[in-house]
Amino acid sequence: MINRRLINVLNGQTEKTPPIWLMRQAGRYLPEYRATRAQAGDFLSLCYNPDLATEVTLQPIRRFGFDAAILFSDILVIPDGLGRSVRFVQGEGPQLDPISPEEIMDLDPSKVIDHLSPVFEAVGKIRHELPEETTFLGFCGAPWTVATYMIAGHGTPDQAPARLFARKHPEVFEALINCLVEASILYLVKQLQCGADAVQIFDSWAGVLDDALYVTASRDPIARIVAGVRAQIPDAKIIGFPKGAGMRLEDFVSVTGVNAIGLDWTVPLDWARDALQPKVALQGNLDPTLLMSDERHLDEAIDRIMAAWSNGPFIFNLGHGISPQGDINLVHRLIDRVRSYHG
Ligand code: CP3
């Protein structure tokens, strides 16, 4: 019998030792990643090379033995597949041509699947090469977060350009979100069919929205993706990560129906245990800066999280991605400490 502990947690079970993986676990803090990245040339060529994408997905599993691997790709392959020509400029992050209202009306979500065939090939290879007990996660960006990059053309501190666009062009904005919902359903279903065991939806910019846009741009589109994926794969396991959603997390969990909720490091531990864990598995929420700090602060933070959450369904993770300055020795220490708990 295959026993994937992270899947057990997504089914509502409590594991005595929680499964652990880290957001951005394949990345620049690893010398082997930097070497493969140099070999690939630019970042998107790495994402679209099935052999190299498989290699970097497996690197953190070989080095650390995490309980889950996450597909090496990026949330911006969807706009790239929609023909928005995404570039990754070293040291500057992603760049796109800001989309105009007219261009939004011409987007065709059915185009993405053909464009992303190298990603699906990687998904099959990765599942084949992973240890049987390792869970394999696919992912996509949430429509709101992907839309922020398509509208501004680059990252911004609080996504004011996209928030303003949503008010200036409400119908066109809705069309963009609808297109991304459709593309995301196709994309996640195909990842699950090609070998992913579960998927995570990253809404990294959920925390910059007022009540009205939270509902129409973040929560409801994610709920439609969850329902759309499950219409084709009824028992699909889905993790939501609405970063910064704070006081809206309970509402997010009940409306979207996700199997686990990713929590950033600002979420109070006791509150999440009492308000969320009876309804949904928790995932998180160590502050990523602790992996750049020192052993004492790291140990204390791990112990606080374990004391609060390890008696219910729980996946240990960071509250956001590991930084390129993350310390590999501290990552080993984190895993050893979490695995020293046996309930
Ligand atoms: O977690 C993993 O190991 C899987 C791979 C993964 C990447 N990006 C690889 C990546 C995942 C799940 C993502 C998600 C992603 N991408 C998000 C949502 C999660 C989050 O971090 O908030 C967002 C907002 C993006 C968009 C994006 N991609 C930005 C803003 C950047 C530049 C910032 C940076 O760290 O350089 C990227 C590039 C990127 N995506 C890198 C990696 C490993 C670094 C690129 C490089 O190697 O040069």
Side-chain angles (χ1 to χ4, degrees):
M1 239 325 255
I2 304 177
N3 181 27
R4 296 188 179 139
R5 297 190 318 111
L6 194 143
I7 297 297
N8 297 341
V9 174
L10 296 180
N11 280 316
Q13 296 174 32
T14 301
E15 287 282 328
K16 287 188 168 156
T17 305
I20 178 169
W21 69 282
L22 304 183
M23 287 187 273
R24 286 279 178 99
Q25 64 190 18
R28 286 164 294 182
Y29 75 110
L30 293 178
E32 59 269 36
Y33 172 83
R34 296 194 296 268
T36 311
R37 169 85 162 72
Q39 193 188 332
D42 66 299
F43 176 72
L44 275 182
S45 306
L46 178 53
C47 295
Y48 294 145
N49 181 317
D51 292 323
L52 295 183
T54 300
E55 167 59 23
V56 290
T57 301
L58 294 173
Q59 284 169 351
I61 306 305
R62 288 191 203 114
R63 190 187 267 268
F64 302 113
F66 286 118
D67 293 284
I70 183 160
L71 170 67
F72 188 84
S73 183
D74 197 84
I75 64 167
L76 299 179
V77 298
I78 289 282
D80 196 58
L82 290 168
R84 301 305 303 160
S85 72
V86 177
R87 288 95 56 198
F88 283 84
V89 183
Q90 201 95 41
E92 286 180 44
Q95 306 217 331
L96 299 75
D97 298 326
I99 194 163
S100 68
E102 298 72 40
E103 287 169 324
I104 287 175
M105 301 321 284
D106 288 337
L107 292 174
D108 175 5
S110 66
K111 268 174 57 179
V112 298
I113 295 302
D114 278 350
H115 180 83
L116 297 178
S117 60
V119 177
F120 305 125
E121 192 183 330
V123 169
K125 273 182 192 286
I126 293 163
R127 182 60 274 176
H128 183 72
E129 292 193 23
L130 273 177
E132 192 175 85
E133 67 279 8
T134 309
T135 299
F136 179 31
L137 300 173
F139 72 93
C140 72
W144 162 247
T145 288
V146 174
T148 64
Y149 290 96
M150 293 178 76
I151 291 168
H154 51 83
T156 77
D158 58 5
Q159 305 302 358
R163 283 155 46 217
L164 180 59
F165 188 99
R167 274 59 178 257
K168 273 192 167 163
H169 310 283
E171 277 106 40
V172 177
F173 178 75
E174 193 185 333
L176 175 58
I177 294 289
N178 289 345
C179 167
L180 292 170
V181 166
E182 251 184 84
S184 303
I185 293 169
L186 295 170
Y187 187 41
L188 293 182
V189 164
K190 189 90 178 169
Q191 290 181 42
L192 289 162
Q193 289 169 340
C194 291
D197 300 307
V199 291
Q200 175 157 322
I201 302 173
F202 286 86
D203 208 355
S204 308
W205 291 102
V208 300
L209 299 170
D210 68 6
D211 278 345
L213 274 183
Y214 158 69
V215 169
T216 57
S218 172
R219 183 195 73 185
D220 287 357
I222 292 174
R224 281 157 51 212
I225 293 173
V226 171
V229 170
R230 291 200 186 130
Q232 296 181 61
I233 305 177
D235 66 343
K237 295 289 175 281
I238 303 177
I239 306 170
F241 177 52
K243 183 170 179 289
M247 296 182 71
R248 296 172 177 140
L249 281 162
E250 253 182 298
D251 173 75
F252 180 92
V253 165
S254 50
V255 175
T256 60
V258 290
N259 302 92
I261 183 80
L263 301 174
D264 66 68
W265 64 91
T266 68
V267 174
L269 299 176
D270 290 353
W271 175 81
R273 177 197 58 213
D274 297 340
L276 301 177
Q277 206 170 24
K279 300 178 188 154
V280 70
L282 306 183
Q283 175 175 281
N285 79 342
L286 190 81
D287 181 343
T289 65
L290 287 159
L291 291 178
M292 305 184 278
S293 68
D294 58 81
E295 297 178 347
R296 183 173 66 85
H297 284 100
L298 175 63
D299 290 354
E300 287 171 2
I302 295 167
D303 293 349
R304 280 194 295 268
I305 293 171
M306 290 297 293
W309 293 353
S310 65
N311 293 321
F314 172 43
I315 301 159
F316 203 106
N317 205 316
L318 303 178
H320 198 194
I322 185 169
S323 143
Q325 286 81 45
D327 178 340
I328 289 172
N329 292 320
L330 291 181
V331 175
H332 279 294
R333 188 177 181 92
L334 162 63
I335 296 166
D336 290 347
R337 196 164 183 95
V338 169
R339 292 199 172 144
S340 73
Y341 283 82
H342 301 288

mmCIF file with all atom_site columns, all heavy atoms in Angstrom, residues 6 13 19 67 83 98 107 151 174 180 182 184 192 204 207 258 262 297 325 328 338:
data_model
loop_
_atom_site.group_PDB
_atom_site.id
_atom_site.type_symbol
_atom_site.label_atom_id
_atom_site.label_alt_id
_atom_site.label_comp_id
_atom_site.label_asym_id
_atom_site.label_entity_id
_atom_site.label_seq_id
_atom_site.pdbx_PDB_ins_code
_atom_site.Cartn_x
_atom_site.Cartn_y
_atom_site.Cartn_z
_atom_site.occupancy
_atom_site.B_iso_or_equiv
_atom_site.pdbx_formal_charge
_atom_site.auth_seq_id
_atom_site.auth_comp_id
_atom_site.auth_asym_id
_atom_site.auth_atom_id
_atom_site.pdbx_PDB_model_num
ATOM 1   N N   . LEU A 1 6   ? 1.511   13.218 3.367   1.00 0.00 ? 6   LEU A N   1
ATOM 2   C CA  . LEU A 1 6   ? 0.890   14.525 3.138   1.00 0.00 ? 6   LEU A CA  1
ATOM 3   C C   . LEU A 1 6   ? -0.550  14.355 2.618   1.00 0.00 ? 6   LEU A C   1
ATOM 4   O O   . LEU A 1 6   ? -1.447  15.118 2.959   1.00 0.00 ? 6   LEU A O   1
ATOM 5   C CB  . LEU A 1 6   ? 1.741   15.342 2.167   1.00 0.00 ? 6   LEU A CB  1
ATOM 6   C CG  . LEU A 1 6   ? 1.377   16.823 2.119   1.00 0.00 ? 6   LEU A CG  1
ATOM 7   C CD1 . LEU A 1 6   ? 2.632   17.677 1.959   1.00 0.00 ? 6   LEU A CD1 1
ATOM 8   C CD2 . LEU A 1 6   ? 0.418   17.118 0.988   1.00 0.00 ? 6   LEU A CD2 1
ATOM 9   N N   . GLN A 1 13  ? -6.547  13.473 8.206   1.00 0.00 ? 13  GLN A N   1
ATOM 10  C CA  . GLN A 1 13  ? -5.907  12.714 9.282   1.00 0.00 ? 13  GLN A CA  1
ATOM 11  C C   . GLN A 1 13  ? -4.813  13.523 9.970   1.00 0.00 ? 13  GLN A C   1
ATOM 12  O O   . GLN A 1 13  ? -4.246  14.443 9.383   1.00 0.00 ? 13  GLN A O   1
ATOM 13  C CB  . GLN A 1 13  ? -5.286  11.430 8.724   1.00 0.00 ? 13  GLN A CB  1
ATOM 14  C CG  . GLN A 1 13  ? -6.316  10.469 8.143   1.00 0.00 ? 13  GLN A CG  1
ATOM 15  C CD  . GLN A 1 13  ? -5.651  9.265  7.475   1.00 0.00 ? 13  GLN A CD  1
ATOM 16  O OE1 . GLN A 1 13  ? -4.588  8.818  7.891   1.00 0.00 ? 13  GLN A OE1 1
ATOM 17  N NE2 . GLN A 1 13  ? -6.293  8.750  6.445   1.00 0.00 ? 13  GLN A NE2 1
ATOM 18  N N   . PRO A 1 19  ? 4.091   15.887 8.036   1.00 0.00 ? 19  PRO A N   1
ATOM 19  C CA  . PRO A 1 19  ? 4.882   15.963 6.811   1.00 0.00 ? 19  PRO A CA  1
ATOM 20  C C   . PRO A 1 19  ? 5.428   17.376 6.652   1.00 0.00 ? 19  PRO A C   1
ATOM 21  O O   . PRO A 1 19  ? 4.822   18.340 7.116   1.00 0.00 ? 19  PRO A O   1
ATOM 22  C CB  . PRO A 1 19  ? 3.881   15.625 5.705   1.00 0.00 ? 19  PRO A CB  1
ATOM 23  C CG  . PRO A 1 19  ? 2.523   15.837 6.294   1.00 0.00 ? 19  PRO A CG  1
ATOM 24  C CD  . PRO A 1 19  ? 2.667   15.638 7.772   1.00 0.00 ? 19  PRO A CD  1
ATOM 25  N N   . ASP A 1 67  ? 8.883   15.496 2.487   1.00 0.00 ? 67  ASP A N   1
ATOM 26  C CA  . ASP A 1 67  ? 7.721   14.633 2.270   1.00 0.00 ? 67  ASP A CA  1
ATOM 27  C C   . ASP A 1 67  ? 6.999   14.945 0.971   1.00 0.00 ? 67  ASP A C   1
ATOM 28  O O   . ASP A 1 67  ? 6.192   14.136 0.515   1.00 0.00 ? 67  ASP A O   1
ATOM 29  C CB  . ASP A 1 67  ? 6.750   14.748 3.448   1.00 0.00 ? 67  ASP A CB  1
ATOM 30  C CG  . ASP A 1 67  ? 7.369   14.182 4.709   1.00 0.00 ? 67  ASP A CG  1
ATOM 31  O OD1 . ASP A 1 67  ? 7.431   12.945 4.824   1.00 0.00 ? 67  ASP A OD1 1
ATOM 32  O OD2 . ASP A 1 67  ? 7.840   14.966 5.560   1.00 0.00 ? 67  ASP A OD2 1
ATOM 33  N N   . GLY A 1 83  ? 0.126   34.046 -24.532 1.00 0.00 ? 83  GLY A N   1
ATOM 34  C CA  . GLY A 1 83  ? 0.763   34.874 -25.552 1.00 0.00 ? 83  GLY A CA  1
ATOM 35  C C   . GLY A 1 83  ? 1.268   36.215 -25.043 1.00 0.00 ? 83  GLY A C   1
ATOM 36  O O   . GLY A 1 83  ? 1.528   37.131 -25.831 1.00 0.00 ? 83  GLY A O   1
ATOM 37  N N   . PRO A 1 98  ? 2.433   45.356 -20.195 1.00 0.00 ? 98  PRO A N   1
ATOM 38  C CA  . PRO A 1 98  ? 1.137   45.549 -19.521 1.00 0.00 ? 98  PRO A CA  1
ATOM 39  C C   . PRO A 1 98  ? -0.009  45.354 -20.519 1.00 0.00 ? 98  PRO A C   1
ATOM 40  O O   . PRO A 1 98  ? 0.045   45.868 -21.639 1.00 0.00 ? 98  PRO A O   1
ATOM 41  C CB  . PRO A 1 98  ? 1.199   47.003 -19.036 1.00 0.00 ? 98  PRO A CB  1
ATOM 42  C CG  . PRO A 1 98  ? 2.658   47.309 -18.944 1.00 0.00 ? 98  PRO A CG  1
ATOM 43  C CD  . PRO A 1 98  ? 3.328   46.495 -20.025 1.00 0.00 ? 98  PRO A CD  1
ATOM 44  N N   . LEU A 1 107 ? -8.079  37.339 -25.416 1.00 0.00 ? 107 LEU A N   1
ATOM 45  C CA  . LEU A 1 107 ? -7.383  36.187 -24.813 1.00 0.00 ? 107 LEU A CA  1
ATOM 46  C C   . LEU A 1 107 ? -8.189  34.904 -25.024 1.00 0.00 ? 107 LEU A C   1
ATOM 47  O O   . LEU A 1 107 ? -9.414  34.921 -24.959 1.00 0.00 ? 107 LEU A O   1
ATOM 48  C CB  . LEU A 1 107 ? -7.187  36.414 -23.306 1.00 0.00 ? 107 LEU A CB  1
ATOM 49  C CG  . LEU A 1 107 ? -6.218  37.523 -22.887 1.00 0.00 ? 107 LEU A CG  1
ATOM 50  C CD1 . LEU A 1 107 ? -6.253  37.698 -21.370 1.00 0.00 ? 107 LEU A CD1 1
ATOM 51  C CD2 . LEU A 1 107 ? -4.799  37.219 -23.366 1.00 0.00 ? 107 LEU A CD2 1
ATOM 52  N N   . ILE A 1 151 ? -1.346  42.982 -15.562 1.00 0.00 ? 151 ILE A N   1
ATOM 53  C CA  . ILE A 1 151 ? -1.805  44.369 -15.677 1.00 0.00 ? 151 ILE A CA  1
ATOM 54  C C   . ILE A 1 151 ? -0.646  45.351 -15.489 1.00 0.00 ? 151 ILE A C   1
ATOM 55  O O   . ILE A 1 151 ? -0.454  46.261 -16.298 1.00 0.00 ? 151 ILE A O   1
ATOM 56  C CB  . ILE A 1 151 ? -2.946  44.629 -14.669 1.00 0.00 ? 151 ILE A CB  1
ATOM 57  C CG1 . ILE A 1 151 ? -4.196  43.843 -15.105 1.00 0.00 ? 151 ILE A CG1 1
ATOM 58  C CG2 . ILE A 1 151 ? -3.245  46.127 -14.551 1.00 0.00 ? 151 ILE A CG2 1
ATOM 59  C CD1 . ILE A 1 151 ? -5.293  43.781 -14.057 1.00 0.00 ? 151 ILE A CD1 1
ATOM 60  N N   . GLU A 1 174 ? -13.246 41.646 -15.107 1.00 0.00 ? 174 GLU A N   1
ATOM 61  C CA  . GLU A 1 174 ? -13.971 40.399 -14.863 1.00 0.00 ? 174 GLU A CA  1
ATOM 62  C C   . GLU A 1 174 ? -13.678 39.385 -15.976 1.00 0.00 ? 174 GLU A C   1
ATOM 63  O O   . GLU A 1 174 ? -13.501 38.186 -15.702 1.00 0.00 ? 174 GLU A O   1
ATOM 64  C CB  . GLU A 1 174 ? -15.477 40.689 -14.794 1.00 0.00 ? 174 GLU A CB  1
ATOM 65  C CG  . GLU A 1 174 ? -16.278 39.535 -14.231 1.00 0.00 ? 174 GLU A CG  1
ATOM 66  C CD  . GLU A 1 174 ? -17.783 39.799 -14.298 1.00 0.00 ? 174 GLU A CD  1
ATOM 67  O OE1 . GLU A 1 174 ? -18.212 40.979 -14.280 1.00 0.00 ? 174 GLU A OE1 1
ATOM 68  O OE2 . GLU A 1 174 ? -18.529 38.814 -14.382 1.00 0.00 ? 174 GLU A OE2 1
ATOM 69  N N   . LEU A 1 180 ? -8.642  33.562 -16.672 1.00 0.00 ? 180 LEU A N   1
ATOM 70  C CA  . LEU A 1 180 ? -7.633  32.895 -15.837 1.00 0.00 ? 180 LEU A CA  1
ATOM 71  C C   . LEU A 1 180 ? -8.247  31.737 -15.056 1.00 0.00 ? 180 LEU A C   1
ATOM 72  O O   . LEU A 1 180 ? -7.581  30.722 -14.823 1.00 0.00 ? 180 LEU A O   1
ATOM 73  C CB  . LEU A 1 180 ? -6.967  33.912 -14.906 1.00 0.00 ? 180 LEU A CB  1
ATOM 74  C CG  . LEU A 1 180 ? -6.098  34.950 -15.650 1.00 0.00 ? 180 LEU A CG  1
ATOM 75  C CD1 . LEU A 1 180 ? -5.653  36.071 -14.705 1.00 0.00 ? 180 LEU A CD1 1
ATOM 76  C CD2 . LEU A 1 180 ? -4.879  34.284 -16.288 1.00 0.00 ? 180 LEU A CD2 1
ATOM 77  N N   . GLU A 1 182 ? -10.668 29.815 -16.165 1.00 0.00 ? 182 GLU A N   1
ATOM 78  C CA  . GLU A 1 182 ? -10.792 28.721 -17.140 1.00 0.00 ? 182 GLU A CA  1
ATOM 79  C C   . GLU A 1 182 ? -9.452  28.067 -17.440 1.00 0.00 ? 182 GLU A C   1
ATOM 80  O O   . GLU A 1 182 ? -9.328  26.838 -17.462 1.00 0.00 ? 182 GLU A O   1
ATOM 81  C CB  . GLU A 1 182 ? -11.354 29.279 -18.451 1.00 0.00 ? 182 GLU A CB  1
ATOM 82  C CG  . GLU A 1 182 ? -12.767 28.845 -18.732 1.00 0.00 ? 182 GLU A CG  1
ATOM 83  C CD  . GLU A 1 182 ? -13.208 29.359 -20.083 1.00 0.00 ? 182 GLU A CD  1
ATOM 84  O OE1 . GLU A 1 182 ? -12.898 28.702 -21.092 1.00 0.00 ? 182 GLU A OE1 1
ATOM 85  O OE2 . GLU A 1 182 ? -13.822 30.449 -20.108 1.00 0.00 ? 182 GLU A OE2 1
ATOM 86  N N   . SER A 1 184 ? -6.814  28.065 -15.570 1.00 0.00 ? 184 SER A N   1
ATOM 87  C CA  . SER A 1 184 ? -6.289  27.380 -14.373 1.00 0.00 ? 184 SER A CA  1
ATOM 88  C C   . SER A 1 184 ? -6.944  26.024 -14.182 1.00 0.00 ? 184 SER A C   1
ATOM 89  O O   . SER A 1 184 ? -6.290  25.063 -13.769 1.00 0.00 ? 184 SER A O   1
ATOM 90  C CB  . SER A 1 184 ? -6.515  28.244 -13.127 1.00 0.00 ? 184 SER A CB  1
ATOM 91  O OG  . SER A 1 184 ? -5.909  29.511 -13.302 1.00 0.00 ? 184 SER A OG  1
ATOM 92  N N   . LEU A 1 192 ? -2.981  16.996 -12.658 1.00 0.00 ? 192 LEU A N   1
ATOM 93  C CA  . LEU A 1 192 ? -3.438  15.853 -11.855 1.00 0.00 ? 192 LEU A CA  1
ATOM 94  C C   . LEU A 1 192 ? -3.534  14.597 -12.724 1.00 0.00 ? 192 LEU A C   1
ATOM 95  O O   . LEU A 1 192 ? -3.182  13.500 -12.284 1.00 0.00 ? 192 LEU A O   1
ATOM 96  C CB  . LEU A 1 192 ? -4.792  16.180 -11.198 1.00 0.00 ? 192 LEU A CB  1
ATOM 97  C CG  . LEU A 1 192 ? -4.706  17.213 -10.064 1.00 0.00 ? 192 LEU A CG  1
ATOM 98  C CD1 . LEU A 1 192 ? -6.087  17.815 -9.762  1.00 0.00 ? 192 LEU A CD1 1
ATOM 99  C CD2 . LEU A 1 192 ? -4.108  16.606 -8.790  1.00 0.00 ? 192 LEU A CD2 1
ATOM 100 N N   . SER A 1 204 ? -0.604  34.981 -3.731  1.00 0.00 ? 204 SER A N   1
ATOM 101 C CA  . SER A 1 204 ? 0.412   35.710 -2.966  1.00 0.00 ? 204 SER A CA  1
ATOM 102 C C   . SER A 1 204 ? -0.010  37.140 -2.645  1.00 0.00 ? 204 SER A C   1
ATOM 103 O O   . SER A 1 204 ? 0.490   37.736 -1.701  1.00 0.00 ? 204 SER A O   1
ATOM 104 C CB  . SER A 1 204 ? 1.713   35.741 -3.761  1.00 0.00 ? 204 SER A CB  1
ATOM 105 O OG  . SER A 1 204 ? 2.049   34.436 -4.140  1.00 0.00 ? 204 SER A OG  1
ATOM 106 N N   . GLY A 1 207 ? -3.696  39.693 0.134   1.00 0.00 ? 207 GLY A N   1
ATOM 107 C CA  . GLY A 1 207 ? -3.733  40.583 1.292   1.00 0.00 ? 207 GLY A CA  1
ATOM 108 C C   . GLY A 1 207 ? -3.826  42.072 0.982   1.00 0.00 ? 207 GLY A C   1
ATOM 109 O O   . GLY A 1 207 ? -3.803  42.882 1.906   1.00 0.00 ? 207 GLY A O   1
ATOM 110 N N   . VAL A 1 258 ? -11.306 24.226 0.138   1.00 0.00 ? 258 VAL A N   1
ATOM 111 C CA  . VAL A 1 258 ? -9.974  23.629 -0.004  1.00 0.00 ? 258 VAL A CA  1
ATOM 112 C C   . VAL A 1 258 ? -9.748  22.566 1.083   1.00 0.00 ? 258 VAL A C   1
ATOM 113 O O   . VAL A 1 258 ? -10.382 22.601 2.146   1.00 0.00 ? 258 VAL A O   1
ATOM 114 C CB  . VAL A 1 258 ? -8.851  24.700 0.077   1.00 0.00 ? 258 VAL A CB  1
ATOM 115 C CG1 . VAL A 1 258 ? -8.874  25.580 -1.160  1.00 0.00 ? 258 VAL A CG1 1
ATOM 116 C CG2 . VAL A 1 258 ? -8.963  25.545 1.354   1.00 0.00 ? 258 VAL A CG2 1
ATOM 117 N N   . GLY A 1 262 ? -2.859  27.205 3.440   1.00 0.00 ? 262 GLY A N   1
ATOM 118 C CA  . GLY A 1 262 ? -1.509  27.692 3.681   1.00 0.00 ? 262 GLY A CA  1
ATOM 119 C C   . GLY A 1 262 ? -1.588  29.004 4.455   1.00 0.00 ? 262 GLY A C   1
ATOM 120 O O   . GLY A 1 262 ? -2.343  29.899 4.063   1.00 0.00 ? 262 GLY A O   1
ATOM 121 N N   . HIS A 1 297 ? 16.762  30.974 17.765  1.00 0.00 ? 297 HIS A N   1
ATOM 122 C CA  . HIS A 1 297 ? 15.479  31.540 17.327  1.00 0.00 ? 297 HIS A CA  1
ATOM 123 C C   . HIS A 1 297 ? 14.700  30.552 16.464  1.00 0.00 ? 297 HIS A C   1
ATOM 124 O O   . HIS A 1 297 ? 13.478  30.446 16.570  1.00 0.00 ? 297 HIS A O   1
ATOM 125 C CB  . HIS A 1 297 ? 15.704  32.852 16.553  1.00 0.00 ? 297 HIS A CB  1
ATOM 126 C CG  . HIS A 1 297 ? 16.040  33.997 17.440  1.00 0.00 ? 297 HIS A CG  1
ATOM 127 N ND1 . HIS A 1 297 ? 17.329  34.443 17.639  1.00 0.00 ? 297 HIS A ND1 1
ATOM 128 C CD2 . HIS A 1 297 ? 15.255  34.776 18.207  1.00 0.00 ? 297 HIS A CD2 1
ATOM 129 C CE1 . HIS A 1 297 ? 17.310  35.446 18.485  1.00 0.00 ? 297 HIS A CE1 1
ATOM 130 N NE2 . HIS A 1 297 ? 16.075  35.681 18.849  1.00 0.00 ? 297 HIS A NE2 1
ATOM 131 N N   . GLN A 1 325 ? 18.910  33.569 0.289   1.00 0.00 ? 325 GLN A N   1
ATOM 132 C CA  . GLN A 1 325 ? 19.899  33.604 1.374   1.00 0.00 ? 325 GLN A CA  1
ATOM 133 C C   . GLN A 1 325 ? 19.628  32.558 2.457   1.00 0.00 ? 325 GLN A C   1
ATOM 134 O O   . GLN A 1 325 ? 20.292  32.547 3.496   1.00 0.00 ? 325 GLN A O   1
ATOM 135 C CB  . GLN A 1 325 ? 19.930  34.991 2.047   1.00 0.00 ? 325 GLN A CB  1
ATOM 136 C CG  . GLN A 1 325 ? 20.598  36.067 1.215   1.00 0.00 ? 325 GLN A CG  1
ATOM 137 C CD  . GLN A 1 325 ? 19.663  36.625 0.159   1.00 0.00 ? 325 GLN A CD  1
ATOM 138 O OE1 . GLN A 1 325 ? 18.498  36.923 0.428   1.00 0.00 ? 325 GLN A OE1 1
ATOM 139 N NE2 . GLN A 1 325 ? 20.156  36.744 -1.075  1.00 0.00 ? 325 GLN A NE2 1
ATOM 140 N N   . ILE A 1 328 ? 21.387  26.390 4.267   1.00 0.00 ? 328 ILE A N   1
ATOM 141 C CA  . ILE A 1 328 ? 21.134  24.955 4.081   1.00 0.00 ? 328 ILE A CA  1
ATOM 142 C C   . ILE A 1 328 ? 21.268  24.185 5.401   1.00 0.00 ? 328 ILE A C   1
ATOM 143 O O   . ILE A 1 328 ? 20.492  23.267 5.672   1.00 0.00 ? 328 ILE A O   1
ATOM 144 C CB  . ILE A 1 328 ? 22.093  24.400 3.001   1.00 0.00 ? 328 ILE A CB  1
ATOM 145 C CG1 . ILE A 1 328 ? 21.662  24.945 1.634   1.00 0.00 ? 328 ILE A CG1 1
ATOM 146 C CG2 . ILE A 1 328 ? 22.128  22.878 2.997   1.00 0.00 ? 328 ILE A CG2 1
ATOM 147 C CD1 . ILE A 1 328 ? 22.619  24.640 0.495   1.00 0.00 ? 328 ILE A CD1 1
ATOM 148 N N   . VAL A 1 338 ? 11.643  18.873 13.405  1.00 0.00 ? 338 VAL A N   1
ATOM 149 C CA  . VAL A 1 338 ? 10.229  18.498 13.191  1.00 0.00 ? 338 VAL A CA  1
ATOM 150 C C   . VAL A 1 338 ? 10.090  16.970 13.275  1.00 0.00 ? 338 VAL A C   1
ATOM 151 O O   . VAL A 1 338 ? 9.148   16.448 13.864  1.00 0.00 ? 338 VAL A O   1
ATOM 152 C CB  . VAL A 1 338 ? 9.723   19.047 11.844  1.00 0.00 ? 338 VAL A CB  1
ATOM 153 C CG1 . VAL A 1 338 ? 8.371   18.454 11.464  1.00 0.00 ? 338 VAL A CG1 1
ATOM 154 C CG2 . VAL A 1 338 ? 9.630   20.577 11.896  1.00 0.00 ? 338 VAL A CG2 1
#
